[in-house]
Amino acid sequence: MTLSALAALASAIAVAWTLSEDSDRGIAERLRDGEELAGLALGALRACIGTDSLSPEPDSVAHALLATVASITGALVPAVLLGIVLIKMFALRPFVWRRRASVAPAYTVHQFREYAARHRDSTNAVIGVRFYNHIDNLALADLRVTAQMRYLERSQEGLLVIYKMKLRVLDEKGEESTERYWPSVERGAPFTVWIPVDAPVPRLPFTRIQGKDLSGSQGVRLLVRLTARTVGMGTEIVDERWFDLDGDDFETGRFVPLQPDLGQDVWTWRGWAEFDGLLPGEGGPPPDGGARPPAGDTPPGRAPATRRAP
């Protein structure tokens, strides 16, 4: 599109240049000279991309104006194109998010035995947000995950006010903290950040989280933000996902667990085909409303992987 726009501009400059030049030939004859007109258009195109310049006729205001337009375009275009290339190269979104966040009893977080044991007799719930790195050749490190909640409430004057509340998550020891940290991010392996609700969730949408009563709030949304660094380049990557409490972004039930097998590619691990599903009998049918595929199938969008040596 950029090249087409520059070619059109160069052609317009070439035509205007031909019409305004001082020549003994008539205008129709000059415009019919395709070879000369094409050469002038190519010269104007080189000027518009900053690799050449036009030489206006002496005392020709029109030629001076056209040469100035080509020069200004030639000065701006390289910077714009470089910016586009850099944005495309470094605006990476390597993370794929699970379609919905799950809401399950806190005692079912078996990843942290002590946390689950402390809530054995509790009815409190926990929110689970799942994601993975889908880029095969991109190694990530220093992954940090934070969560916050945004909601609107009316002030005493009756005006809506936006509030933002930082939420606690479970750290690597299963203790409540301000962030979850992973030193490295394996390609394809799912990661889960757990957000304690600190209240029972008998039904959705829930109306209380970490001591905040949301029954009188509007536009409640949960934000989970990831930051990581690429190994080798050192580029920081930031990604985030919003979850709407009044929408279809939450479901009750537990994730389908994955069975790691270091002798196989991660995409063939048992349970990968049900990355977006729930355990049978917990929360109803999968998000698409259809039957769950058998364990071990390739997830959508992935080609069948070959077996790797241990």
Side-chain angles (χ1 to χ4, degrees):
M1 292 177 62
T2 303
L3 182 60
S4 299
L6 290 175
L9 176 61
S11 300
I13 291 176
V15 172
W17 191 282
T18 301
L19 293 175
S20 59
E21 69 180 354
D22 185 11
S23 176
D24 296 334
R25 298 183 300 168
I27 294 178
E29 183 181 355
R30 281 178 280 166
L31 292 177
R32 284 197 299 266
D33 191 348
E35 184 176 352
E36 181 179 352
L37 194 60
L40 184 57
L42 291 176
L45 179 60
R46 292 193 298 271
C48 287
I49 62 177
T51 61
D52 202 349
S53 60
L54 296 176
S55 299
E57 291 180 349
D59 301 327
S60 176
V61 177
H63 279 196
L65 178 61
L66 294 173
T68 301
V69 171
S71 298
I72 293 176
T73 305
L76 296 178
V77 166
V80 173
L81 292 180
L82 181 60
I84 294 174
V85 171
L86 290 177
I87 289 173
K88 288 295 184 181
M89 286 179 60
F90 297 107
L92 300 177
R93 298 202 68 178
F95 295 104
V96 174
W97 298 79
R98 189 178 184 272
R99 299 177 195 173
R100 293 181 173 93
S102 75
V103 181
Y107 63 81
T108 62
V109 185
H110 302 301
Q111 178 182 354
F112 303 114
R113 297 181 179 179
E114 294 183 1
Y115 179 84
R118 289 198 302 269
H119 292 81
R120 183 180 297 117
D121 299 325
S122 170
T123 58
N124 288 348
V126 64
I127 301 172
V129 178
R130 212 176 193 187
F131 55 90
Y132 68 92
N133 169 25
H134 73 97
I135 300 181
D136 291 349
N137 298 321
L138 182 65
L140 299 174
D142 295 331
L143 173 63
R144 302 178 185 274
V145 184
T146 59
Q148 61 177 280
M149 183 175 59
R150 188 211 68 184
Y151 57 95
L152 286 76
E153 291 184 352
R154 293 196 177 276
S155 63
Q156 293 181 351
E157 293 80 10
L159 301 176
L160 283 176
V161 181
I162 298 178
Y163 295 92
K164 296 178 181 179
M165 172 181 171
K166 194 174 183 67
L167 299 177
R168 302 183 302 276
V169 300
L170 298 185
D171 62 12
E172 60 273 12
K173 297 180 180 179
E175 302 293 337
E176 295 190 7
S177 176
T178 57
E179 70 173 18
R180 177 69 161 98
Y181 173 77
W182 284 275
S184 60
V185 182
E186 294 81 2
R187 187 269 299 173
F191 290 79
T192 303
V193 57
W194 300 100
I195 306 172
V197 178
D198 290 343
V201 182
R203 65 183 63 87
L204 293 177
F206 52 86
T207 57
R208 177 177 293 274
I209 182 171
Q210 296 188 8
K212 172 59 183 175
D213 184 5
L214 302 173
S215 57
S217 304
Q218 304 178 29
V220 184
R221 302 185 73 190
L222 175 68
L223 170 65
V224 178
R225 177 174 290 130
L226 315 178
T227 59
R229 301 191 69 83
T230 58
V231 177
M233 294 185 294
T235 305
E236 185 178 51
I237 294 177
V238 181
D239 198 1
E240 62 184 26
R241 172 71 186 274
W242 287 91
F243 298 90
D244 190 349
L245 263 67
D246 294 327
D248 196 28
D249 293 336
F250 291 86
E251 60 184 353
T252 55
R254 290 187 293 164
F255 296 143
V256 173
L258 266 69
Q259 301 297 319
D261 186 348
L262 299 182
Q264 293 187 5
D265 189 272
V266 63
W267 310 116
T268 64
W269 288 359
R270 182 180 179 184
W272 235 118
E274 297 176 318
F275 179 80
D276 283 300
L278 297 173
L279 288 174
E282 298 191 21
D288 57 5
R292 296 186 176 90
D297 285 357
T298 304
R302 299 292 307 186
T306 56
R307 183 181 178 87
R308 293 183 177 179

